Amino acid sequence: MAAPRNRSAAVEAEAGVRRQGDSGVELALSSDTAAAAPLCPHGPTLLFVKVNRGKEETRRFYACSACRDRKDCNFFQWEDEKLSGARLAAREAHNQRCQPPLSRTQCVQRYLRFIELPLSQRKFCRSCQQLLLPDDWGDHHEHQMVGDVSVTQLRRPSQLLYPLENKKTNAQYLFADRTCQFLVDLLSALGFRRVLCVGTPRLHELIRLTEPGDKKPHIKSLLLDIDFRYSQFYMEDSFCYYNMFNHHFFDGKAALEVCRAFLQEDKGEGVILVTDPPFGGLVEPLANTFKKLIAMWKEGQSQDESHKELPIFWIFPYFFESRICQFFPSFCMLDYQVDYDNHAFYKHGKKGRKQSPVRIFTNIPPNKIILPTEEGYRFCPLCQRYVSLENQHCEHCDSCTSKDGRKWNHCFLCKKCVKPSWIHCSICNHCAVPDHSCEGTKDGCFICGELDHKRSTCPNIGTSKKANKAVRKQKQRKSNKMKMETTEGRSMNHTSVTGRKKRRERAHQYLCS
């Protein structure tokens, strides 16, 4: 899974809030930590709150963790809403209908039967995205099928399966071979023996293609991904059907224990987490998930090793840097440009805005990571790290400051380097694009409007919640009053209609007598 590669959605997510003008949606912490979040087809939902700049926050609600578009998953429930037994039963039935048709065990059994078939009987249905056994052929004879599926094809399922390209849910843009090979070579050079691949199916494939007899040391891999189609191609110890936005294992405790054992093998030594989430997703739930995986890894550590960190490669656009470092202060961003096979723009070697903005964020010291000089990277002796060729060291900032691969210019008024296309605006008192709006929406607190903090850390949030509760009560009383008036009006209308009907009946009886 890799890239939305929807820049506007990504910039909104960078601020931690989905905005429309002066309103937006934020991730919220549940007021009752003991209460379990309701379930949708993608597992436990997340709690959100709508906020308006300078106004009180509105009611909190639960929505799908994986889908930001209601068209993909229309789950919605107010935090304080009480559901009837019938609605809960209907929801449970809907969740069950949305699950994959085959269980994990059935997929494994079918795979073991499939690989025993002679080559001429190994077929894959492109229409249904399914490996077919001979008993299935009759149901798929009018579909587009691939025959003679070889072992090599089975080991590269991402080339058989159609990529899921929903930018906000799956965003399954797959690593180009250049990036994939670079990552495998780098992981091997750094001495890692196990790789937990969270949403990186192509990297998982390439690692598994490396045979134990090769010159390079053998690396094991475990793939966690929300694309259940991969269940057809891997045993239980190689793939877990998983939602990275809520740390949910769809196959329950058995899958959770597979992941735990993988992280804690060899007392947690020699393992790294590599993740490539959809860029349209919020950073905060992703960070919470990765912290839970870190905690799982730390369970196998002794007290003397509690200071250690689980090595991580988080692959994301460079403009998320401040947001990621907010949750993981030890992370730094590498200059390496990650590119994808099936994306129109995110390709290495393109210039200006069309070059890939995707980078690697990691807690591994950058001086240990060698970037390929043949691809235009050089070592900066002052920064003690590899940077892109045009990323020049600024003597005023004492750093190689470029984030996007171009040479940045130092602004003495802003006291920092900025993009070459930006100019200093005397009205805004900072650098921006030449055609920017000086009266545009500013970041800051949605409650008090101050720019030095967010709504969640506002000192007035307690007062805001009390005022908001009072407003809700007032609105509820008004709503109840209107309902009563409507009900009384209907009752009076019903009485008058009934009376007129009875009078007509009596008149009819009189005339007929």
Side-chain angles (χ1 to χ4, degrees), residues 323-335:
R323 191 71 176 147
I324 290 176
C325 291
Q326 177 185 342
F327 294 101
F328 296 100
S330 63
F331 277 28
C332 66
M333 187 181 78
L334 305 180
D335 269 24

Side-chain angles (χ1 to χ4, degrees), residues 62-355:
Y62 288 101
C64 179
S65 62
C67 303
R68 296 276 67 81
D69 195 328
R70 295 284 296 277
K71 294 178 182 178
D72 300 315
C73 181
N74 63 0
F75 185 97
F76 182 92
Q77 180 184 324
W78 295 114
E79 182 188 20
D80 53 0
E81 185 178 1
K82 303 298 181 184
L83 301 184
S84 65
R87 281 190 64 188
L88 289 172
R91 176 181 291 172
E92 176 63 25
H94 172 72
N95 291 347
Q96 289 298 323
R97 286 195 300 271
C98 293
Q99 296 310 307
L102 300 174
S103 69
R104 189 74 181 91
T105 303
Q106 289 173 317
C107 287
V108 170
Q109 291 172 347
R110 287 175 60 88
Y111 176 74
L112 292 175
R113 289 175 59 191
F114 188 88
I115 59 178
E116 291 177 352
L117 295 171
L119 185 63
S120 60
Q121 295 185 20
R122 292 185 197 157
K123 297 184 179 181
F124 176 77
C125 179
R126 284 199 177 275
S127 304
C128 301
Q129 296 285 280
Q130 181 182 339
L131 293 174
L132 301 180
L133 297 174
D135 296 341
D136 306 323
W137 293 354
D139 298 330
H140 300 263
H141 67 279
E142 294 183 353
H143 295 179
Q144 182 185 3
M145 290 196 287
V146 176
D148 299 338
V149 179
S150 65
V151 174
T152 302
Q153 287 176 298
L154 289 175
R155 297 176 72 180
R156 300 299 303 267
S158 69
Q159 296 182 351
L160 276 175
L161 300 170
Y162 289 129
L164 303 175
E165 296 188 358
N166 182 315
K167 295 178 180 180
K168 298 180 182 178
T169 309
N170 305 99
Q172 205 170 44
Y173 297 104
L174 302 166
F175 289 145
D177 288 341
R178 160 194 164 268
T179 290
C180 228
Q181 193 60 58
F182 164 75
L183 287 172
V184 172
D185 292 342
L186 177 60
L187 295 171
S188 177
L190 292 172
F192 291 108
R193 300 185 297 276
R194 300 187 313 285
V195 182
L196 182 65
C197 295
V198 183
T200 57
R202 187 154 283 182
L203 176 64
H204 177 65
E205 291 174 5
L206 190 57
I207 290 173
R208 289 173 58 82
L209 283 172
T210 306
E211 298 292 344
D214 290 354
K215 294 180 180 178
K216 297 176 183 177
H218 181 56
I219 302 175
K220 292 197 297 184
S221 177
L222 171 63
L223 175 63
L224 310 183
D225 203 293
I226 200 170
D227 187 353
F228 66 87
R229 299 176 302 170
Y230 284 103
S231 300
Q232 305 173 83
F233 300 90
Y234 297 115
M235 305 295 286
E236 291 99 329
D237 61 348
S238 301
F239 172 77
C240 296
Y241 181 27
Y242 178 77
N243 182 350
M244 71 173 77
F245 288 98
N246 57 8
H247 187 54
H248 178 66
F249 290 87
F250 290 92
D251 295 312
K253 189 175 180 180
L256 174 66
E257 291 305 318
V258 167
C259 181
R260 189 192 308 276
F262 186 85
L263 285 170
Q264 296 181 6
E265 185 180 330
D266 294 336
K267 298 182 179 179
E269 291 294 325
V271 65
I272 183 173
L273 187 159
V274 181
T275 182
D276 182 31
F279 301 164
L282 294 174
V283 171
E284 186 170 355
L286 291 170
N288 289 339
T289 289
F290 302 150
K291 287 180 178 180
K292 289 176 182 177
L293 291 171
I294 292 169
M296 190 186 295
W297 169 76
K298 281 198 170 185
E299 290 173 6
Q301 304 285 305
S302 64
Q303 291 293 332
D304 297 336
E305 298 174 321
S306 58
H307 65 283
K308 288 186 176 180
E309 288 186 338
L310 172 66
I312 296 177
F313 281 170
W314 182 343
I315 297 167
F316 233 43
Y318 69 82
F319 37 83
F320 281 96
E321 181 180 19
S322 61
R323 191 71 176 147
I324 290 176
C325 291
Q326 177 185 342
F327 294 101
F328 296 100
S330 63
F331 277 28
C332 66
M333 187 181 78
L334 305 180
D335 269 24
Y336 185 81
Q337 291 184 19
V338 177
D339 60 342
Y340 299 90
D341 261 352
N342 53 328
H343 196 283
F345 297 119
Y346 291 10
K347 304 281 188 181
H348 178 70
K350 289 183 177 287
K351 301 295 182 182
R353 284 180 171 271
K354 291 188 177 181
Q355 64 185 339

